[in-house]
Amino acid sequence: MNLFHSCERAAELMSQALDEPLDLTDQMRLRIHLTMCGDCQEVEKQMAKLHELVPQLGALDLDLDEEPDPRSPGDR
């Protein structure tokens, strides 16, 4: 059993951790990897931010399939 994860495996675990708890072994291995890998630390921050922002996209009223109303004040 390898103590340290590759960056690819660390990214998989980071993604999984956003959806469900990791077992203790994977938590520890991921923390060790993140302690030593600045690139993965940045990926973890970005993933957490995306996970935070994605639900807000549903709240936006973007109707991209509809044509804009030619009578709307913004088009004058």
Side-chain angles (χ1 to χ4, degrees):
M1 183 184 325
N2 189 1
L3 179 62
F4 302 109
H5 286 299
S6 67
C7 292
E8 182 178 345
R9 180 66 179 137
E12 291 170 3
L13 289 174
M14 286 184 264
S15 179
Q16 180 182 340
L18 293 171
D19 298 323
E20 62 188 43
L22 298 176
D23 65 37
L24 185 57
T25 302
D26 281 337
Q27 286 178 32
M28 290 174 46
R29 288 181 178 160
L30 180 58
R31 288 294 128 215
I32 291 169
H33 182 90
L34 289 172
T35 299
M36 299 183 310
C37 184
D39 290 340
C40 286
Q41 290 173 23
E42 188 61 31
V43 168
E44 182 184 42
K45 288 177 192 174
Q46 292 172 1
M47 288 177 108
K49 190 63 173 177
L50 283 172
H51 191 71
E52 174 189 329
L53 294 174
V54 165
Q56 295 175 22
L57 289 176
L60 297 176
D61 188 19
L62 297 177
D63 221 345
L64 300 176
D65 294 333
E66 288 186 16
E67 293 292 322
D69 185 352
R71 298 171 288 161
S72 69
D75 293 337
R76 292 184 190 166

